[in-house]
Each structure stands twice: as C-alpha cells, then as structure tokens.
Amino acid sequence: SGKLLKIIIETKENKISSIQILCDFFVYPEESLFDLEKGLAGTEKEQCLPKIKSIIAQNKMTLAGFSAEDLHQLILQAFTT
C-alpha cells in the first residue's frame, strides 16, 4: 500500500556520521525515533543491527510496518553506494 521507509545518511570511514529516518509508519513513542537516529551516530557498519535492536529495546519502542532488519538493510545499501 505504498508505505515509505527512507533514510538520509552520511557515512565516513565505515561509520554512520549522521542519519535521519523518514517513515510513514507507526513508531511509539514518537520521540524515540530521534533517540534511534542519535544513537546510531558513530556506529560502525558491522555493528548497526545489534545497535538498532539495543536502542529499540532500551526505549521500549514499538515499530509497526517496518522492522530493525528493514532499517538495517537500508543502512547497508547506503554503505555500498
């Protein structure tokens, strides 16, 4: 049904410098999306999925319509382009 999950990401030396997550899915609590973005800054490519899962658990986030793995795949694509 045309749902959107998009990232704006800057990488340097195999690490995330900054990331912005854009989605029209449900994320609760809403402010936790900012915590996820902030928490991923400085993360090495190989550590992204564990870090995403850790931040989701720490913030007791509910994601509806996308998963940690979906976000991870987008991040990996950004490192290869």
Side-chain angles (χ1 to χ4, degrees):
S1 61
K3 293 291 185 183
L4 171 76
L5 177 61
K6 179 179 171 182
I7 60 172
I8 299 171
I9 187 170
E10 291 182 29
T11 61
K12 185 176 182 183
E13 298 173 2
N14 224 26
K15 291 183 181 179
I16 297 172
S17 299
S18 67
I19 187 168
Q20 184 178 7
I21 303 165
L22 309 168
C23 63
D24 58 2
F25 296 110
F26 176 77
V27 178
Y28 181 82
E30 287 181 32
E31 61 275 7
S32 64
L33 196 56
F34 175 73
D35 295 327
L36 181 57
E37 293 169 343
K38 191 170 67 173
L40 285 172
T43 303
E44 292 185 7
K45 180 173 95 171
E46 295 77 20
Q47 294 300 315
C48 285
L49 186 56
K51 184 75 169 192
I52 292 166
K53 289 181 174 184
S54 171
I55 294 167
I56 288 171
Q58 287 173 355
N59 289 286
K60 297 179 176 73
M61 293 174 71
T62 301
L63 309 177
F66 75 100
S67 66
E69 290 78 10
D70 294 332
L71 179 57
H72 181 239
Q73 286 303 312
L74 278 179
I75 291 170
L76 290 181
Q77 288 173 15
F79 275 105
T80 60
T81 56

